[in-house]
Amino acid sequence: MALNAAGRDIPKEVDGRRLKPFAGAFATPPEKGRRMHAPEKPMVPPGQKKLLSSLDEVFNRIGLADGATLSFHHHLRDGDFVVNMVMERIEKMGLKEIRMAHTALFPTHEPLVKLIEKGVITHTEGSVNGPIGQAISMGKMKGVATLRSHGGRVRAIQDGDIEIDAAFIAAPTADDYGNCNGLYGPSAFGPMSYPRIDAKHAKYSVVLTDNLVPYPSVPISIPQHQIDYVVPVERLGDPERIMTGTMRITSSPTRLKIARYAAQIVKETGYLRNGFSFQAGAGGISLAATKFLGEMMKKEDIHASFANGGTTKPLIDILNAGLIDVLVDGQTFDLVGIDSLRNNPKHVEIGADFYANIHNKGCNVNTLDVAFLGATEIDTDFNVNVNTHSDGVLLHGIGGHQDVASGTKMAMMLVPSRRGRVPIIVDRVQTITTPGEVVDVVVTEKGIAINPRRDDLLEALHGSSLPIMTIEELKDRIQRETGRPKEPEFEDRIVGLIEYRDGTILDVIRQVKV
Amino acid sequence: MALNAAGRDIPKEVDGRRLKPFAGAFATPPEKGRRMHAPEKPMVPPGQKKLLSSLDEVFNRIGLADGATLSFHHHLRDGDFVVNMVMERIEKMGLKEIRMAHTALFPTHEPLVKLIEKGVITHTEGSVNGPIGQAISMGKMKGVATLRSHGGRVRAIQDGDIEIDAAFIAAPTADDYGNCNGLYGPSAFGPMSYPRIDAKHAKYSVVLTDNLVPYPSVPISIPQHQIDYVVPVERLGDPERIMTGTMRITSSPTRLKIARYAAQIVKETGYLRNGFSFQAGAGGISLAATKFLGEMMKKEDIHASFANGGTTKPLIDILNAGLIDVLVDGQTFDLVGIDSLRNNPKHVEIGADFYANIHNKGCNVNTLDVAFLGATEIDTDFNVNVNTHSDGVLLHGIGGHQDVASGTKMAMMLVPSRRGRVPIIVDRVQTITTPGEVVDVVVTEKGIAINPRRDDLLEALHGSSLPIMTIEELKDRIQRETGRPKEPEFEDRIVGLIEYRDGTILDVIRQVKV
């Protein structure tokens, strides 16, 4: 064990993997001369067909073995049919020790819990929202769960930390040679950002589609020359649950207060200026803050050079009002967003490599000024937890949290001061998702704390009427109402690893005691 | 020496490189388990600037040494300033033994001849049109010139056969973080297809632009995360010579006859059907054939699923008439083409990997039905030469010739029967650019020859009123007028290698005797 730069004990090895402790947000550059993962060289001569009639035929061609690594992406969200469809066959084929290299799993994937218990799945390399995370927290999986940010996952595949045997790409529109996009068809979800890296590096890339169109299908999000097979399926998912519908801006007075504070901070710190940039989350508070920010921009005749989605209607409204020059989009949450992506040339689809990979020649989060993010817990060192609840149970993925916080100039956590009797500010978060060194501002309805590393922000906000206080004061103020949270108890066994986006280990998750 | 599958003697080794002889169009698949080239892992943290003030500053940063490999692309064609601008500095810096990994050089790059003579440049890995090719043919370069097709170049970079130290990317529009496109600005040339593979694999990728725009520049042809530096220059090139202007359809009755024959063959062989596809070249005969084909399509109410440029006005006219569903574009030759690429979502930009790489999971040429190509010589085995003239002098690049001919279902050579006293059909071409096994039809105004391998075409054309004859008959008919061509004389020294698109050697070029 050794303390990493975020103050956590990181063992030398877990589950056969040697761990490199987190050393600081940009303190672990690639080793000199270190090269990326090199995919195998393929050849597909003219006349060789890619269109197969069924998933079974796909499995006959690709010949998976025990221990295979399978990848999936989560653009179909809780409406996804693909993961269960594929994994049901994997079980029937009698395969074991599968490594799931998905981007994120949702409650709809609850059937996988059984496969975890049976040893069909022994490792997960993506976000495990809900029941899967819970099962892992309870110690039901043989191996460990590795959690990574959006950018961290790209880095891991790029480096060969994850070697994908077969990538299953859910494509709302595709042709028989593999060109595909997420913009049209009954399962349309918007930009196809996450599986791009999979298609580049996987041994086999398989497109599943419920909207096979004549060749060549355009626009092309993932190109034919990275796809081995195309298989039509009846339905990729349930449209009702793919699109979250029009995202709701919070109507809670508490949360609206947080959102107003946030917009006001952007203004008072001087970030609200022509050509600035921001990332708007899709949560209720973030949406409200985005809306208030848009109103300020309009009033003061300020336009942003770009904004980054989770794309939602409030963001599209600002784009359409001419207040944002370009909207870069890796994930769309509503139909308004999809429609805009189809038709507005200033609304552009980007991949997760472009968006957030720390080990490329400069990703998009590096150029952000302001970002609105959430948290389940924040500690007095400004460390943020979005993965586990106060009871220590793994319930959420990292998403872009680490990437955005470390890239943006001002990373703002917009959070209610408490959820029931659970305070947002604690002495020590259960799990560090994002290290405090890249967290700049914590905004609650009870008060606002600025990371003392950011003298410049404290100075800019000097004399502000905003309720600015130290994080300790804020914690005390909140905990006076909630009381101190109860500490959960853990077994010794490590069931999860939180990777920082550079591949070092930020924290471990232990099995909860029941 | 050993005869390769095209019947040419290929030495075991040339200039320190072990050669693998050509074995057939699809007879050399990648070795089992062979992996692609893996670029080095970079990291560009937030705040690190990419915008440099001058090319000299670029060179200070990237620290080139003798023997470095530099890459360039030829979208600026004979109007390009970039190659000379960079190479002039290379000479001033006293560097030697530079390997030029450009896509193509033009007459405007004549100043490089001096650098070749001085040993500043000792190897070329791209097309050497005009004076550079001539200098190489005369034995002026220390090393050999390697010629590759568009797809073959992608393959070579992908495999690490060419390891690029610095790629210089001429970007008509770019932002200060490296996002760039070829669609706007004073040096606009259209799609940015060729340097995409360079940006992915080069150790350093440098964008030069004469149109620096605010971040983020969209659309994005090459993304920021593959670019190290951006340097503004006064002018990338001479717009007059970047765009060839409106391409001229031939007005020669001879050539119009060839074009009419070509369109008629497409019809009579049954390829002219709904959903067919074709590639139209940019030469005068090709353009005329494209026009005639379009007229047939309109008359018979037939639409193509896609066409592939060289994009020119005649092709855009067919697209705009609704006769082509999608136009995929790697190179645009006129302003009409650029305008269409900017505004028509059915006109899409593609990279050379997508277009023509034999070693990916299926490139676009694989899906072509019909292609109109040219030639400088064709022999009675249907081998085509587009590289050397009848005097044996290297004067042209391969372009997409090999790629398209081997991918498309019917590769048609549209050629005048003679150029002056030089007949198009000979017993043995000086240089094999494209092997006869993938050449299907030779169309001249004196007659049409079908490759006897294509029973199906011969059968389809049985009873046609078209002047179909054997290639020997066609040769005799032409040579009765021109006489037999004079054989040039060569020295023993090999000055050039013709690579087939899979990396094997099709032919060698020897120094001409003067």
Side-chain angles (χ1 to χ4, degrees):
Chain A
M1 293 286 203
L3 283 189
N4 71 9
R8 296 292 162 121
D9 268 335
I10 305 298
K12 285 219 165 68
E13 194 175 308
V14 167
D15 197 24
R17 173 181 170 192
R18 291 192 62 81
L19 305 181
K20 202 166 174 177
F22 171 72
F26 295 95
T28 311
E31 303 130 57
K32 193 100 186 149
R34 166 73 191 264
R35 288 180 179 269
M36 298 183 189
H37 171 257
E40 276 185 43
K41 275 192 59 162
M43 179 169 100
V44 173
Q48 185 172 310
K49 302 289 182 208
K50 298 183 180 184
L51 189 69
L52 303 182
S53 61
S54 69
L55 264 179
D56 294 329
E57 207 187 330
V58 170
F59 289 121
N60 285 340
R61 300 288 184 99
I62 67 180
L64 293 174
D66 288 351
T69 299
L70 309 184
S71 89
F72 302 91
H73 61 112
H74 73 278
H75 291 102
L76 296 163
R77 289 173 277 260
D78 202 37
D80 175 58
F81 294 166
V82 172
V83 172
N84 293 342
M85 193 189 300
V86 169
M87 293 310 296
E88 192 182 293
R89 280 173 176 79
I90 293 288
E91 189 193 4
K92 278 200 186 129
M93 288 158 67
L95 291 173
K96 290 186 299 287
E97 310 224 328
I98 297 297
R99 192 176 286 265
M100 293 286 289
H102 55 277
T103 57
L105 297 174
F106 284 81
T108 194
H109 301 118
E110 201 271 336
L112 299 191
V113 171
K114 195 185 62 187
L115 303 192
I116 287 172
E117 289 169 348
K118 285 184 178 174
V120 176
I121 296 168
T122 50
H123 292 84
T124 62
E125 302 270 353
S127 290
V128 281
N129 304 305
I132 321 282
Q134 193 144 22
I136 290 167
S137 266
M138 299 303 160
K140 291 183 175 172
M141 192 164 73
K142 191 178 161 199
V144 297
T146 305
L147 280 88
R148 297 185 179 88
S149 66
H150 291 325
R153 181 178 187 272
V154 172
R155 184 211 55 75
I157 294 172
Q158 168 184 288
D159 286 3
D161 292 356
I162 304 174
E163 278 211 69
I164 301 169
D165 293 294
F168 295 92
I169 298 169
T173 293
D175 63 41
D176 65 358
Y177 218 49
N179 295 300
C180 56
N181 71 61
L183 294 178
Y184 300 93
S187 302
F189 52 66
M192 213 166 197
S193 46
Y194 302 120
R196 290 186 182 198
I197 190 78
D198 307 47
K200 272 182 202 156
H201 288 267
K203 185 163 180 188
Y204 294 103
S205 298
V206 179
V207 160
L208 296 90
T209 189
D210 54 3
N211 186 35
L212 191 69
V213 300
Y215 180 89
S217 169
V218 295
I220 298 168
S221 294
I222 294 181
Q224 60 183 50
H225 64 275
Q226 297 171 348
I227 301 298
D228 294 276
Y229 299 113
V230 177
V231 58
V233 297
E234 175 139 354
R235 271 289 167 269
L236 291 176
D238 175 357
E240 299 281 310
R241 289 184 295 158
I242 294 170
M243 284 290 108
T244 40
T246 301
M247 299 294 283
R248 283 269 180 72
I249 289 178
T250 186
S251 58
S252 138
T254 306
R255 292 174 182 229
L256 285 171
K257 190 171 182 186
I258 298 165
R260 270 188 228 282
Y261 282 165
Q264 189 64 23
I265 289 167
V266 176
K267 183 175 170 181
E268 293 189 18
T269 51
Y271 282 109
L272 187 74
R273 59 174 180 264
N274 264 325
F276 87 117
S277 62
F278 65 98
Q279 161 142 350
I285 306 179
S286 253
L287 285 179
T290 301
K291 184 168 168 277
F292 295 142
L293 191 64
E295 286 166 6
M296 276 183 185
M297 289 164 72
K298 191 162 188 181
K299 195 173 150 199
E300 309 204 6
D301 193 23
I302 281 169
H303 71 105
S305 59
F306 77 95
N308 200 324
T311 299
T312 55
K313 185 175 180 298
L315 199 53
I316 299 296
D317 289 343
I318 305 178
L319 176 69
N320 290 342
L323 298 169
I324 301 171
D325 293 342
V326 176
L327 179 59
V328 294
D329 191 355
Q331 204 170 357
T332 298
F333 289 100
D334 56 28
L335 295 169
V336 176
I338 292 186
D339 194 56
S340 166
L341 192 53
R342 286 175 185 158
N343 299 308
N344 187 342
K346 293 296 184 186
H347 182 173
V348 298
E349 174 171 342
I350 58 168
D353 194 0
F354 183 102
Y355 173 45
N357 177 11
I358 188 174
H359 286 168
N360 64 24
K361 291 179 175 176
C363 59
N364 181 248
V365 297
N366 284 359
T367 62
L368 278 170
D369 285 330
V370 172
F372 299 146
L373 297 163
T376 57
E377 291 181 319
I378 301 168
D379 69 23
T380 47
D381 291 327
F382 286 85
N383 294 312
V384 172
N385 174 15
V386 304
N387 297 117
T388 53
H389 278 204
S390 59
D391 59 4
V393 177
L394 175 57
L395 284 172
H396 304 286
I398 296 174
H401 203 285
Q402 283 173 0
D403 302 313
V404 174
S406 63
T408 192
K409 292 190 187 63
M410 182 165 69
M412 305 175 69
M413 309 299 128
L414 313 192
V415 284
S417 66
R418 62 184 200 173
R419 294 187 175 93
R421 302 301 301 172
V422 180
I424 190 74
I425 315 278
V426 294
D427 291 318
R428 189 177 184 278
V429 289
Q430 291 301 332
T431 304
I432 302 181
T433 305
T434 296
E437 68 169 289
V438 297
V439 173
D440 301 303
V441 181
V442 175
V443 188
T444 76
E445 82 285 3
K446 295 280 184 208
I448 295 159
I450 310 289
N451 192 324
R453 290 166 170 262
R454 295 297 303 267
D455 296 344
D456 60 325
L457 298 180
L458 285 162
E459 195 170 320
L461 292 165
H462 187 78
S464 167
S465 61
L466 288 164
I468 292 161
M469 58 195 73
T470 67
I471 188 113
E472 288 79 10
E473 286 168 346
L474 185 56
K475 181 197 78 174
D476 291 344
R477 182 178 284 207
I478 297 167
Q479 291 201 1
R480 270 200 296 275
E481 293 184 5
T482 62
R484 282 175 73 88
K486 221 172 57 188
E487 281 294 314
E489 286 184 84
F490 295 98
E491 307 285 352
D492 278 347
R493 187 185 162 218
I494 291 171
V495 295
L497 298 172
I498 306 288
E499 255 193 36
Y500 183 63
R501 57 200 296 245
D502 63 5
T504 61
I505 302 299
L506 249 177
D507 207 348
V508 299
I509 298 171
R510 290 177 198 274
Q511 184 175 333
V512 292
K513 207 168 238 174
V514 281
Chain B
M1 291 287 203
L3 284 189
N4 72 7
R8 297 289 162 124
D9 267 336
I10 305 297
K12 285 219 164 68
E13 194 175 309
V14 168
D15 196 23
R17 171 179 170 193
R18 290 193 62 81
L19 305 181
K20 203 167 173 175
F22 170 71
F26 294 95
T28 311
E31 302 129 58
K32 193 99 186 150
R34 166 74 191 263
R35 288 179 180 269
M36 298 182 189
H37 172 257
E40 276 184 44
K41 277 192 56 163
M43 179 170 101
V44 173
Q48 185 173 312
K49 303 289 182 207
K50 298 183 181 184
L51 189 68
L52 303 183
S53 61
S54 68
L55 264 179
D56 294 328
E57 207 187 330
V58 170
F59 289 120
N60 285 340
R61 299 288 183 101
I62 67 182
L64 294 174
D66 287 352
T69 298
L70 309 184
S71 89
F72 302 91
H73 61 112
H74 72 278
H75 291 103
L76 297 162
R77 289 173 277 258
D78 201 37
D80 174 59
F81 294 165
V82 172
V83 171
N84 292 342
M85 194 189 298
V86 169
M87 293 310 296
E88 192 183 293
R89 279 172 176 81
I90 293 289
E91 188 192 5
K92 276 201 188 130
M93 288 157 69
L95 290 173
K96 288 186 302 288
E97 311 226 326
I98 295 299
R99 191 176 286 264
M100 292 287 288
H102 54 278
T103 57
L105 296 175
F106 284 80
T108 194
H109 301 117
E110 199 272 335
L112 299 191
V113 171
K114 194 186 62 187
L115 303 192
I116 286 172
E117 290 169 346
K118 284 184 179 174
V120 175
I121 296 169
T122 50
H123 292 84
T124 62
E125 303 270 352
S127 290
V128 281
N129 303 306
I132 320 282
Q134 191 144 23
I136 289 167
S137 266
M138 301 301 159
K140 290 184 176 170
M141 192 163 74
K142 190 177 162 200
V144 298
T146 306
L147 280 89
R148 297 184 179 88
S149 67
H150 291 324
R153 181 178 187 270
V154 172
R155 184 211 57 74
I157 294 171
Q158 168 185 290
D159 286 4
D161 293 355
I162 305 173
E163 278 211 69
I164 301 169
D165 293 293
F168 295 91
I169 298 168
T173 294
D175 64 39
D176 64 358
Y177 218 48
N179 296 299
C180 56
N181 70 62
L183 295 177
Y184 299 93
S187 303
F189 52 65
M192 213 166 195
S193 46
Y194 302 119
R196 290 186 184 198
I197 190 77
D198 308 47
K200 273 182 200 156
H201 288 268
K203 184 162 182 189
Y204 293 103
S205 299
V206 179
V207 160
L208 296 90
T209 190
D210 53 5
N211 186 33
L212 191 69
V213 299
Y215 181 89
S217 169
V218 295
I220 298 168
S221 294
I222 294 181
Q224 61 183 48
H225 63 276
Q226 297 172 347
I227 302 298
D228 294 275
Y229 299 112
V230 177
V231 58
V233 296
E234 175 140 353
R235 272 288 169 266
L236 291 175
D238 174 357
E240 299 280 310
R241 289 185 295 158
I242 295 171
M243 284 290 108
T244 40
T246 301
M247 299 294 283
R248 282 268 180 74
I249 290 179
T250 184
S251 58
S252 140
T254 306
R255 293 175 181 226
L256 286 171
K257 189 172 183 186
I258 299 166
R260 268 188 231 283
Y261 282 164
Q264 189 66 21
I265 290 168
V266 176
K267 184 176 169 182
E268 293 189 18
T269 51
Y271 282 109
L272 187 75
R273 59 174 178 264
N274 263 325
F276 88 117
S277 61
F278 66 98
Q279 161 143 348
I285 306 180
S286 254
L287 285 179
T290 301
K291 184 168 167 277
F292 296 142
L293 191 66
E295 285 166 6
M296 276 183 185
M297 291 165 70
K298 192 161 188 183
K299 194 173 151 197
E300 310 202 6
D301 193 22
I302 282 169
H303 71 102
S305 59
F306 76 94
N308 201 323
T311 300
T312 55
K313 183 173 180 298
L315 199 54
I316 299 296
D317 288 344
I318 305 179
L319 176 69
N320 289 342
L323 299 168
I324 301 170
D325 293 342
V326 176
L327 178 60
V328 295
D329 192 355
Q331 203 170 358
T332 298
F333 289 100
D334 57 27
L335 295 168
V336 176
I338 293 187
D339 193 57
S340 167
L341 191 54
R342 285 175 185 157
N343 298 308
N344 187 342
K346 294 295 184 186
H347 182 174
V348 299
E349 175 172 341
I350 59 168
D353 194 359
F354 183 102
Y355 173 45
N357 179 9
I358 188 174
H359 287 167
N360 66 24
K361 291 179 174 175
C363 58
N364 181 249
V365 297
N366 285 357
T367 64
L368 277 171
D369 286 329
V370 173
F372 300 146
L373 297 164
T376 55
E377 291 181 319
I378 300 169
D379 68 23
T380 49
D381 291 327
F382 286 83
N383 294 310
V384 172
N385 174 14
V386 304
N387 297 119
T388 52
H389 279 205
S390 58
D391 59 3
V393 177
L394 174 59
L395 283 172
H396 303 287
I398 297 175
H401 203 285
Q402 284 173 2
D403 303 313
V404 174
S406 63
T408 193
K409 292 190 187 63
M410 183 166 67
M412 305 174 71
M413 308 300 126
L414 312 191
V415 284
S417 66
R418 62 185 200 172
R419 293 187 176 92
R421 299 302 302 173
V422 181
I424 189 75
I425 316 278
V426 294
D427 290 319
R428 189 176 185 277
V429 289
Q430 291 302 334
T431 304
I432 302 182
T433 306
T434 296
E437 67 168 290
V438 298
V439 173
D440 300 304
V441 181
V442 175
V443 187
T444 76
E445 82 285 3
K446 296 279 184 209
I448 295 160
I450 310 290
N451 193 324
R453 290 166 171 262
R454 293 300 300 269
D455 297 344
D456 60 326
L457 297 181
L458 284 164
E459 196 171 320
L461 292 165
H462 186 76
S464 167
S465 62
L466 288 164
I468 292 163
M469 57 195 72
T470 67
I471 189 115
E472 288 79 10
E473 286 167 345
L474 185 55
K475 182 197 78 174
D476 290 344
R477 182 177 286 206
I478 296 167
Q479 292 200 1
R480 270 200 296 275
E481 292 184 6
T482 61
R484 284 176 71 89
K486 221 171 59 188
E487 280 296 312
E489 286 184 84
F490 294 98
E491 308 283 353
D492 278 346
R493 189 185 161 216
I494 291 172
V495 295
L497 298 172
I498 305 289
E499 256 193 36
Y500 183 63
R501 57 201 296 247
D502 63 4
T504 61
I505 301 300
L506 251 179
D507 208 348
V508 299
I509 298 173
R510 289 176 200 274
Q511 184 175 333
V512 292
K513 207 168 240 173
V514 282

